[in-house]
Amino acid sequence: MIARRNFLRAAAGFLFASLSTTTYAVGIEPILRLKTVTYRLTPPNWPDGLRLRLVLLADFHACRPWMTAQRIKGIADQAQALQGDMVLLLGDFLSGMRLSGGQVAPEDWADALSGLSAPFGVHAILGNHDWADDPEAMAQGHGPTVVHRALAGIGVPVYDNRAVAMDKDGHRFWLAGLADQYGPLRPLDDLPGTLAQVKDAAPVILMAHEPDIFPKVPDRVAVTLSGHTHGGQIKIFGMMPFIPSRYGARYAHGHIVEEGRHLIVSAGLGTSGVPMRFGVPPEIVVVELGAQASA
């Protein structure tokens, strides 16, 4: 009898812990634990006197009830309050979520982002789900996708293998963005063609949805900015069961430096596959270039 009582008590404890963990992973961490993470760095050959504050938003995965237009607007308002010189949207606006109550209409999530502004603009790239979850673009085999149209409707340019020069405080820099590397139709990215548009020695800021391009990025690029991995989305005792990268955990999250080259990978905002985050809360990322390095 005592053994049976102990067994039932242990079983009840296990069930309670499992339910509590699931509740946290579904209803608390993905929604209530949004944080702001700041990285400060001065890449090699960065011009003295050039300071840039970038605000990065990645992987919304808009869907109901997990990432509604109302929630996206709240995130955008929080990002706007950070007063970036630029706001960079790093792809995967569409859901990728099979366990959802439905999609958020593109005009609704775009309207939720329409309040974003910055002295040097709001700029975007697309992610793999912005193709895979667009039946019309998939059937046609080409864009413009629904995300292209939605962002154009609020005046946000999409960088599909494009580089643009900008000037601040007498210093030039380039903003470049790659088309998606793992689109379900075919790879669309063109790193050499994109960098060929850069006509001088000014530093390049590169937006690339998937961080897997980083080994091919030359030191000509000051910093590469990515999302896609969600930081693994679920992290238990330091282990990440699934990271959508051919490099495993190498580029899962954070500030990575290899041979003097800098990569920053956002853990993103939404969820994909399953509506859970555990050990990897959603985040808005701030990158301060030309600032003292982060501790």
Side-chain angles (χ1 to χ4, degrees):
M1 180 66 69
I2 295 176
R4 180 173 181 272
R5 184 180 303 147
N6 289 341
F7 171 79
L8 292 175
R9 186 176 299 157
F14 176 78
L15 178 60
F16 177 78
S18 298
L19 292 174
S20 298
T21 299
T22 300
T23 299
Y24 174 83
V26 173
I28 297 177
E29 183 164 308
I31 298 172
L32 301 179
R33 287 201 60 205
L34 176 65
K35 63 180 183 177
T36 299
V37 178
T38 300
Y39 300 100
R40 298 178 177 90
L41 60 145
T42 301
N45 302 315
W46 188 261
D48 290 338
L50 176 58
R51 296 285 297 270
L52 282 174
R53 181 176 174 87
L54 314 177
V55 176
L56 315 183
L57 300 174
D59 302 288
F60 282 102
H61 293 290
C63 67
R64 299 191 306 271
W66 318 112
M67 185 62 76
T68 63
Q70 182 179 9
R71 186 177 172 213
I72 292 171
K73 185 179 186 307
I75 293 170
D77 289 346
Q78 188 168 332
Q80 184 67 24
L82 296 171
Q83 299 182 318
D85 292 309
M86 287 194 294
V87 178
L88 305 180
L89 309 177
L90 298 181
D92 272 3
F93 300 88
L94 300 188
S95 172
M97 183 70 66
R98 302 296 174 250
L99 301 173
S100 75
Q103 304 299 309
V104 176
E107 59 269 23
D108 290 341
W109 60 251
D111 183 66
L113 294 172
S114 63
L116 290 170
S117 64
F120 290 86
V122 181
H123 311 268
I125 54 174
L126 267 57
N128 54 306
H129 283 287
D130 299 326
W131 289 93
D133 292 284
D134 183 341
E136 181 180 348
M138 291 292 290
Q140 292 177 348
H142 59 80
T145 67
V146 67
V147 175
H148 281 104
R149 292 192 292 269
L151 292 175
I154 59 170
V156 174
V158 174
Y159 286 61
D160 289 326
N161 303 320
R162 178 187 176 203
V164 173
M166 301 184 185
D167 293 277
K168 184 188 181 203
D169 299 331
H171 299 283
R172 171 159 290 193
F173 66 94
W174 292 78
L175 178 65
L178 295 183
D180 190 63
Q181 301 160 51
Y182 296 121
L185 296 170
R186 61 191 180 280
L188 300 172
D189 63 302
D190 181 2
L191 179 61
T194 302
L195 295 182
Q197 299 169 42
V198 177
K199 303 303 183 182
D200 55 36
V204 178
I205 299 164
L206 177 67
M207 299 182 290
H209 178 68
E210 296 93 347
D212 284 10
I213 194 69
F214 188 59
K216 299 179 182 178
V217 174
D219 56 13
R220 171 75 186 79
V221 172
V223 63
T224 302
L225 308 172
S226 297
H228 181 65
T229 64
H230 300 195
Q233 195 166 302
I234 296 172
K235 186 176 183 180
I236 302 173
F237 302 119
M239 296 182 294
M240 293 169 277
F242 177 71
I243 303 170
S245 168
R246 66 164 63 102
Y247 296 99
R250 180 175 169 183
Y251 304 133
H253 178 228
H255 181 193
I256 297 104
V257 182
E258 291 185 352
E259 300 177 350
R261 299 173 304 118
H262 292 264
L263 167 69
I264 291 173
V265 183
S266 169
L269 295 158
T271 57
S272 181
V274 294
M276 302 175 68
R277 276 183 179 262
F278 190 86
V280 192
E283 64 183 24
I284 298 170
V285 173
V286 175
V287 179
E288 295 186 356
L289 294 169
Q292 184 177 354
S294 301

